[in-house]
Amino acid sequence: QRLVPFNSAVHVRMNPETASFQFERHALHNAPVEHLRLFLEHYQPLHPYGQSGVWKYNINKSVRLTDITPLPQLRETEYFQDFMTFMPAQYELNHMLGSQGDPVGILGLHRKKGERNFSDREREIMDYILPHLSRAVHNLSLLEAVTDAYGIGIVEVGADRTMRPINDEAKRVLSISRGA
């Protein structure tokens, strides 16, 4: 966030077999989960990034929403008037994450009205980071598939020694151990 400042961010994983977004295991920064649920349930088909199909040809590349739809036109859309003002956001930098030929998720960075749009330099910075981020998300998805298939729990241990379950098996085991 120091290299590319933003107010909020959303990462949603994609199922490569169905090409659909998965609400589970999403990541949000400074954005309520209700906004993500509303986006996935209603506004996703109205999003210019998805409507234009530009994401299909820009895997691991940054695309400003205003590069697809100029701001004056964007302000006239239902997506902007109903959803972006509700968030609140005026500028988006969108990224379709892909690894080994599979789409693995989407990442959106947002800035509020009154702030500047994302610059070309900030797009370049993100374009250097995206392949590595995509590979990490892909590897995590593969690890989760293996651990789920074999009933292996994954637990994240924080610096303060608190344990946070990462998958369902870890949640189950931790709930049993806490109840005992």
Side-chain angles (χ1 to χ4, degrees):
Q1 192 174 10
R2 284 185 275 182
L3 292 172
V4 181
F6 54 88
N7 295 104
S8 62
V10 176
H11 170 257
V12 181
R13 292 197 197 177
M14 180 175 253
N15 181 331
E17 294 172 8
T18 64
S20 62
F21 293 117
Q22 300 171 303
F23 181 76
E24 301 80 26
R25 298 177 176 157
H26 60 269
L28 301 173
H29 173 75
N30 201 27
V33 71
E34 298 83 31
H35 291 183
L36 176 59
R37 191 176 312 277
L38 186 62
F39 175 80
L40 292 175
E41 290 174 359
H42 181 72
Y43 290 101
Q44 177 186 339
L46 302 174
H47 195 290
Y49 185 68
Q51 281 183 336
S52 68
V54 71
W55 61 272
K56 295 175 187 176
Y57 310 104
N58 288 283
I59 304 295
N60 295 330
K61 296 288 182 194
S62 300
V63 178
R64 288 180 292 238
L65 195 54
T66 54
D67 290 339
I68 300 166
T69 307
L71 190 56
Q73 289 175 287
L74 182 62
R75 286 183 176 141
E76 300 299 318
T77 65
E78 180 181 350
Y79 176 75
F80 185 92
Q81 291 178 4
D82 289 353
F83 187 70
M84 287 184 76
T85 54
F86 172 70
M87 284 179 54
Q90 178 159 305
Y91 300 108
E92 288 185 21
L93 190 59
N94 297 288
H95 317 86
M96 178 55 72
L97 306 178
S99 180
Q100 298 180 5
D102 292 328
V104 297
I106 191 165
L107 172 67
L109 307 179
H110 312 105
R111 287 188 178 151
K112 294 180 180 179
K113 183 178 180 179
E115 297 186 350
R116 64 179 173 77
N117 199 354
F118 293 91
S119 69
D120 289 341
R121 178 70 177 139
E122 289 167 327
R123 287 179 50 213
E124 289 173 13
I125 291 168
M126 289 303 298
D127 288 350
Y128 284 116
I129 296 169
L130 290 171
H132 306 288
L133 179 61
S134 297
R135 190 171 29 255
V137 169
H138 186 76
N139 289 344
L140 183 59
S141 295
L142 292 174
L143 176 65
E144 288 169 347
V146 169
T147 58
D148 288 348
Y150 291 101
I152 300 169
I154 303 174
V155 178
E156 177 183 74
V157 180
D160 61 354
R161 297 186 181 177
T162 57
M163 291 189 287
R164 184 176 73 89
I166 300 298
N167 62 1
D168 290 337
E169 183 63 17
K171 289 175 188 171
R172 188 185 71 74
V173 170
L174 285 176
S175 70
I176 292 170
S177 69
R178 290 179 181 146

